[in-house]
Amino acid sequence: MDKVIDQAFSRADLLKDLRLHPFDQLPAEDPVVAVHSSLKSIGYVIGGAETVVRALSDWVGEDGTLVFPAFSDSLSDPEQWHHPPVAPHLVEKVRNGLPPFDVNLSPIDTGAIPSMAARFPGALRSIHQNCSVVALGKHAQRIVSAQSLENSLLHDGPFGQVYALNGWVLSIGTELDSNSSIHLAERWACGGKGLPYLGEVWESRVPVETPRGREWVLLDREGGCSAGFRRIEPILRSRGVISYGRVGRSYCQFMSHRRLIEEAIAILDGDPLALLCSNPECPQCAPAWAKYGNGRQREW
């Protein structure tokens, strides 16, 4: 027997939740919010992802801006895929068959809500083969046009613009390991030099169309594994960075983008390995542990 829908959330219901604490901390003027989301976590929403995007737009208002990660993980080097991996004899075939990035056609692998947001009137999507964003609202053009292949995690990139605009982060049914902004802290830590292992034990390549044809371009010290990001949540919580609330049935996190980055940088300045995951088979974190950890991985 199919499960009965025993609770249904309308646009008004979601907006009512978004106007309660802690989401009422959102500034009334010119708010900017980076949204990480899981539609399923909210429960049954009348109208689905469209209703969620409309409720979020109501919440930030006419002068507000919404930013959604719109990553295309599938437009990456298949030799580096692990969920699932590609058989060695098929890697070259898959690599050659991947279509080039298209701002209108390339898949958004970060869920139904950003995929729907990209279809809204006035929505803009940045041009990045792997880490694009979708933005809606007042500062959409500034945020989207800031992105280039080289600067996803730099001060002048999209999330750097959210930081400069004193934005906020709302995670609807997702945890810190989905909070893309923390990758900025990896790149900005250690006096602006970035963590020592970035680009050293993990290299990310994306397909780019050039006058010479398709080329696989190495991204400069991009962030990788985020499974270890949850490790710093107790510290952030104790410092008052993260607040918790609910939207529908979803357990949500809400925080100042600037405070998140600054506190994460402070943590990393004290321990550059704080965000590495404990999986001994992780192709990104395990080599960093081996080179810099001095056996500390066993402590996790």
Side-chain angles (χ1 to χ4, degrees):
M1 180 178 178
D2 291 337
K3 184 178 179 180
V4 174
I5 296 173
D6 58 1
Q7 193 173 17
F9 298 100
S10 66
R11 176 177 174 178
D13 293 329
L14 301 182
L15 181 58
K16 180 180 178 181
D17 288 345
L18 286 165
R19 286 178 171 162
L20 297 175
H21 187 75
F23 315 119
D24 59 354
Q25 299 176 68
L26 188 73
E29 296 183 8
D30 208 20
V32 177
V33 184
V35 181
H36 304 272
S37 57
S38 163
L39 177 62
K40 182 179 179 180
S41 72
I42 303 173
Y44 176 71
V45 177
I46 304 167
E50 177 185 345
T51 296
V52 177
V53 177
R54 292 191 184 281
L56 290 168
S57 297
D58 293 340
W59 175 48
V60 300
E62 292 183 359
D63 289 332
T65 307
L66 296 168
V67 183
F68 303 86
F71 300 167
S72 298
D73 296 330
S74 51
L75 293 183
S76 58
D77 190 344
E79 189 174 15
Q80 298 177 325
W81 294 359
H82 295 278
H83 305 288
V86 177
H89 70 283
L90 291 177
V91 166
E92 199 60 29
K93 180 179 181 179
V94 175
R95 185 182 285 139
N96 292 335
L98 283 174
F101 177 82
D102 186 295
V103 71
N104 296 308
L105 298 177
S106 292
I108 294 175
D109 297 330
T110 44
I113 293 173
S115 295
M116 175 56 70
R119 297 165 59 185
F120 266 59
L124 300 175
R125 186 180 184 186
S126 62
I127 300 175
H128 191 284
Q129 283 74 2
N130 194 219
C131 298
S132 67
V133 300
V134 166
L136 271 171
K138 181 177 179 179
H139 294 294
Q141 183 65 49
R142 169 178 172 174
I143 290 168
V144 168
S145 62
Q147 189 164 32
S148 69
L149 194 61
E150 297 80 19
N151 77 343
S152 288
L153 302 179
L154 296 181
H155 288 77
D156 57 348
F159 289 108
Q161 295 302 313
V162 175
Y163 179 93
L165 290 164
N166 203 17
W168 292 74
V169 181
L170 172 64
S171 296
I172 304 175
T174 62
E175 302 286 349
L176 281 184
D177 54 4
S178 295
N179 196 325
S180 310
S181 296
I182 298 177
H183 287 301
L184 272 66
E186 293 180 310
R187 185 68 180 266
W188 298 0
C190 302
K193 297 178 181 179
L195 299 179
Y197 53 81
L198 288 183
E200 182 177 315
V201 298
W202 176 257
E203 295 182 341
S204 180
R205 293 179 174 83
V206 294
V208 175
E209 294 299 319
T210 74
R212 299 177 297 278
R214 177 180 300 185
E215 296 182 359
W216 283 83
V217 175
L218 177 67
L219 300 181
D220 181 33
R221 305 177 72 204
E222 290 285 293
C225 177
S226 60
F229 288 4
R230 294 192 192 192
R231 195 179 321 284
I232 66 172
E233 182 174 348
I235 302 174
L236 297 175
R237 184 170 59 243
S238 69
R239 296 179 181 176
V241 177
I242 305 177
S243 299
Y244 301 90
R246 287 193 176 274
V247 174
R249 289 180 172 175
S250 180
Y251 182 65
C252 303
Q253 299 180 350
F254 188 57
M255 64 205 80
S256 159
H257 187 271
R258 187 168 292 180
R259 280 209 67 198
L260 169 66
I261 302 306
E262 291 174 351
E263 293 290 351
I265 289 173
I267 293 169
L268 290 169
D269 284 346
D271 180 4
L273 306 184
L275 296 179
L276 293 179
C277 80
S278 58
N279 180 0
E281 298 182 359
C282 176
Q284 300 170 45
C285 297
W289 278 118
K291 182 168 184 178
Y292 297 101
N294 295 320
R296 283 183 54 209
Q297 185 178 15
R298 292 190 297 272
E299 299 173 12
W300 295 143

